[in-house]
Amino acid sequence: MLKNYFPIFHWLPNYKKAYLTNDIVAGLTVGIMLIPQGMAYAMIAGLPPVFGLYAALVPQVIYALMGTSRQLAVGPVAMDSLLVASGLTALSLSGIEEYISMAIFLSLFMGVIQLSLGLLRAGFLVNFLSKPVISGFTSGAAIIIGLSQLKHVLGVDIPRNNKVHQLLFNVIEKFKEINIYTVTIATIAILIILLIKKLNKRYRINIPGALLVVLFGILTVYGLELYHSDVKIIGVVPDGLPAFKIPNISLHTVAELTPIAITLALVAFMEAISVAKAVQEKQNEYEVYANQELIALGTSNIIGSLFQSYPTTGGFSRTAVNEQAGAKTGISSMVSAVIVGSTLLFFTSLFHYLPNAVLGAIIMVAVFGLIDFKYPVELLKKRKDEFVLLLVTFLITISVGITQGIILGILFSLLLMVYRVSKPHIAVIARIEGTNYYNNINRFHSSVAIRKDVLGIRIDAQLFFGNTTFFKKALLKEIKLKGKHLKLLIINTEAISYIDNTAANMLYKMIQELKQKNIKVMFSGTTGPTRDILFKSGIIDILGKENLFLRSHEAEDFYDGKHNRTEKFRSIAEQTESIAS
């Protein structure tokens, strides 16, 4: 039981000495990467940079103990940081202290939600975050994050806003106040990061570009004394490990934070599980389990909040670096935590002269890489309805708000799904000449033998209250087209595994009405679960067990008197739960 919740007890007893070097190297690499990244992402969240280091400390240790992925790097990420800022700036807060308290409480709140979903085995909920919605939301959020850093890159005081048009308007208003030193530092930092990324990709190395531009920024500002020229710097970074503190918040605040906490919980889980599964596909030693991931991430956020961490999850870039650096187990995350902890204990004073422009540059390069151009173009060519869904989500995200973008995107994707299942594909089928195969007459019109007295219908969906009326109308339309010649209706039910009460009542009445018109009804290809429903709902009483067939051609041949049903085939076609028991 303990191993189920703490997968470390699965892999630690079998830990190989050969793994240790890889884990240490990967842990050092990610730890060094985490320091500037964590501080930068804290700025996105509207928090002092040191809280990025707090968020990079405890959560990844807890995840190393409880997570099923052995390479996932947990810590602060750009998307969640933006969601924190978006949710908290919408509230009326008295000052930075209350803002910090709320951000930390959000970590606790979303952790409780994730843990609860994991214990309830609700990992399937992430399936409702469709790829078009996530792509539109991610691209929109990336643009907002990038533009929000213009105040640091340009060195001007631009009011925070999560609407792109308003952000750009605010930038234009402040354009004359741009600090040329700040812009120069940011531009050079961006070019250095891009150059190092290109070198890393070409030569398959892991030069810590973010750390190098941090050193460049500190040395430039300190050496040229640019802090006297209004170049904004981080200033004093508190040293020491985060203290244990229980978040204190009112019930009224809980109600206000509920929507953003739920959004954070789901989006953070989606980020983590997608990258964890992507990395796991390259491994043969373990499996990633969605529900345990929820439990691990939830617990990481809960315990992390007790040590002043704001919301965290698995990061795309850091996980990729961790895997490429050779990480084999969660030991690499523990090494990363040691690097971050050592920085907090001994090296925070080194960051005093770090310019905000460098952190802004790091963020801009990181998040603009999240903007996906290929996928929308692909959807535009192949699936225009999903392209519209992506575009709507993107536009809402950049023009209305971050939270509204993801929530309305999910809502629209569910509405699209409901629309599709309410109008399922229904085909008129007939036998292909010279064979026993039945196919759609519209696709195989030149090779099917269409009979005036026989109508074959296939519905490629479940039958439930949402599509019952559509199915009935389509069926009656085809029956009417056949006219008085129709004597046999064959309903192919191979694609149906469930019939709800509304649909069952419709079928019962329809079969009854057709029998009164001397039209015989037969079912073919009926699966076990569907047969069970036919028997339990009483449909079989009016249909007749003798009218269940394995294949459509058997039904037609039996009607024509060409096929004698053996006891074996009859028992298979009529098999139900009750008979089996």
Side-chain angles (χ1 to χ4, degrees):
M1 185 67 176
L2 190 63
K3 287 183 178 181
N4 291 336
Y5 293 109
F6 291 90
I8 189 173
F9 292 118
H10 279 292
W11 56 262
L12 191 59
N14 301 314
Y15 192 82
K16 299 176 183 178
K17 290 183 179 179
Y19 291 168
L20 187 59
T21 301
N22 287 337
D23 280 340
I24 291 175
V25 170
L28 287 169
T29 304
V30 174
I32 291 169
M33 182 181 180
L34 250 175
I35 294 165
Q37 256 195 7
M39 298 173 78
Y41 292 156
M43 287 173 58
I44 296 176
L47 297 166
V50 72
F51 283 89
L53 300 181
Y54 294 162
L57 190 61
V58 175
Q60 64 174 331
V61 174
I62 302 302
Y63 181 82
L65 301 175
M66 302 184 70
T68 56
S69 172
R70 300 182 191 176
Q71 282 84 28
L72 188 69
V74 170
V77 297
M79 194 71 69
D80 288 10
S81 299
L82 180 62
L83 284 169
V84 169
S86 174
L88 296 186
T89 50
L91 306 179
S92 299
L93 304 178
S94 59
I96 187 63
E97 291 302 323
E98 187 181 4
Y99 188 96
I100 292 171
S101 297
M102 296 283 266
I104 293 170
F105 178 74
L106 259 181
S107 179
L108 174 64
F109 198 174
M110 73 172 278
V112 169
I113 293 171
Q114 289 176 327
L115 178 59
S116 301
L117 291 174
L119 293 174
L120 293 171
R121 323 305 290 172
F124 67 89
L125 287 175
V126 75
N127 296 330
F128 290 100
L129 294 168
S130 67
K131 188 174 179 180
V133 169
I134 293 304
S135 178
F137 169 72
T138 302
S139 295
I143 290 173
I144 293 172
I145 294 170
L147 293 180
S148 70
Q149 297 309 299
L150 286 176
K151 66 178 181 180
H152 301 305
V153 170
L154 301 178
V156 294
D157 187 18
I158 301 171
R160 177 185 289 276
N161 201 296
N162 289 323
K163 299 173 183 177
V164 167
H165 60 282
Q166 190 61 54
L167 255 174
L168 292 173
F169 179 76
N170 293 340
V171 170
I172 293 170
E173 274 193 328
K174 299 279 187 175
F175 207 74
K176 292 180 181 179
E177 301 174 20
I178 289 176
N179 186 302
I180 190 63
Y181 298 110
T182 300
V183 173
T184 303
I185 291 171
T187 302
I188 294 173
I190 289 172
L191 292 174
I192 291 173
I193 295 172
L194 292 175
L195 176 61
I196 290 175
K197 281 184 72 173
K198 191 172 182 179
L199 292 174
N200 285 344
K201 188 176 181 180
R202 176 178 292 182
Y203 299 106
R204 296 184 179 181
I205 52 180
N206 286 309
I207 301 173
L211 188 64
L212 288 182
V213 295
V214 164
L215 292 173
F216 155 75
I218 293 171
L219 292 174
T220 300
V221 170
Y222 181 75
L224 301 178
E225 297 184 350
L226 294 180
Y227 45 86
H228 293 312
S229 302
D230 291 330
V231 173
K232 293 183 174 63
I233 58 175
I234 285 180
V236 177
V237 180
D239 59 359
L241 300 176
F244 177 86
K245 186 178 179 182
I246 298 174
N248 184 21
I249 233 79
S250 66
L251 290 177
H252 173 69
T253 304
V254 172
E256 288 185 312
L257 290 178
T258 298
I260 188 63
I262 294 173
T263 303
L264 265 168
L266 293 177
V267 171
F269 175 55
M270 178 278 301
E271 289 180 87
I273 196 69
S274 59
V275 71
K277 283 187 174 293
V279 172
Q280 180 246 308
E281 288 177 2
K282 303 177 184 179
Q283 311 294 323
N284 298 316
E285 295 87 4
Y286 67 90
E287 292 286 336
V288 170
Y289 297 101
N291 291 312
Q292 180 56 30
E293 286 299 289
L294 273 169
I295 292 171
L297 292 168
T299 306
S300 297
N301 276 297
I302 291 170
I303 297 179
S305 71
L306 302 178
F307 293 91
Q308 302 183 57
S309 168
Y310 76 96
T312 60
T313 190
F316 287 94
S317 58
R318 290 194 304 272
T319 300
V321 169
N322 197 35
E323 191 265 336
Q324 290 167 12
K328 294 295 183 182
T329 69
I331 295 295
S332 63
S333 292
M334 295 182 184
V335 173
S336 296
V338 170
I339 298 299
V340 175
S342 300
T343 301
L344 282 166
L345 286 171
F346 307 113
F347 304 115
T348 54
S349 60
L350 297 178
F351 297 99
H352 181 91
Y353 292 102
L354 174 61
N356 290 344
V358 166
L359 294 180
I362 292 171
I363 292 169
M364 291 184 82
V365 174
V367 299
F368 282 132
L370 297 176
I371 301 174
D372 193 344
F373 294 101
K374 292 182 180 178
Y375 186 61
V377 172
E378 181 183 330
L379 286 182
L380 182 60
K381 293 178 181 178
K382 300 177 181 178
R383 300 299 298 268
K384 287 185 171 54
D385 56 343
E386 294 192 33
F387 171 76
V388 170
L389 178 61
L390 183 152
L391 184 62
V392 168
T393 303
F394 173 78
L395 292 175
I396 292 173
T397 301
I398 65 172
S399 61
V400 179
I402 301 293
T403 309
Q404 293 90 336
I406 188 68
I407 292 175
L408 291 176
I410 293 170
L411 177 61
F412 289 143
S413 66
L414 292 176
L415 289 175
L416 181 61
M417 180 186 71
V418 170
Y419 175 78
R420 285 172 178 165
V421 298
S422 69
K423 294 187 176 182
H425 180 257
I426 297 174
V428 176
I429 58 175
R431 190 196 300 244
I432 294 180
E433 291 181 345
T435 73
N436 287 327
Y437 294 106
Y438 276 64
N439 286 100
N440 188 338
I441 65 171
N442 292 325
R443 290 178 181 268
F444 298 86
H445 57 278
S446 61
S447 57
V448 293
I450 300 175
R451 293 175 53 169
K452 292 182 178 180
D453 61 334
V454 178
L455 172 63
I457 289 287
R458 187 187 73 227
I459 175 172
D460 298 327
Q462 313 305 321
L463 267 177
F464 75 113
F465 67 91
N467 59 23
T468 298
T469 302
F470 180 81
F471 173 69
K472 184 178 179 180
K473 284 183 178 179
L475 184 57
L476 291 177
K477 177 185 175 182
E478 297 301 332
I479 291 172
K480 186 177 180 180
L481 289 173
K482 285 286 184 180
K484 61 182 180 180
H485 300 289
L486 182 62
K487 300 299 178 183
L488 172 65
L489 170 64
I490 302 173
I491 301 178
N492 183 294
T493 60
E494 289 180 11
I496 301 174
S497 61
Y498 180 74
I499 301 173
D500 76 353
N501 186 63
T502 303
N505 287 334
M506 179 273 294
L507 285 174
Y508 187 95
K509 291 177 182 178
M510 188 188 68
I511 295 169
Q512 195 174 45
E513 291 170 3
L514 291 174
K515 286 183 71 175
Q516 291 171 359
K517 295 178 181 179
N518 295 317
I519 298 174
K520 196 170 188 62
V521 181
M522 295 180 176
F523 280 20
S524 68
T526 310
T527 62
T530 305
R531 286 198 300 272
D532 295 339
I533 294 171
L534 295 180
F535 276 80
K536 291 175 182 177
S537 64
I539 292 175
I540 200 66
D541 297 332
I542 192 167
L543 177 69
K545 290 191 291 184
E546 70 279 4
N547 291 316
L548 291 176
F549 294 86
L550 296 176
R551 300 287 183 267
S552 296
H553 76 87
E554 293 175 5
E556 185 176 330
D557 289 346
F558 185 77
Y559 170 74
D560 290 336
K562 298 177 182 178
H563 177 69
N564 293 319
R565 305 181 77 192
T566 64
E567 181 62 28
K568 179 180 179 181
F569 281 97
R570 185 195 64 78
S571 64
I572 293 173
E574 298 174 11
Q575 187 72 50
T576 69
E577 243 179 13
S578 57
I579 294 174
S581 59

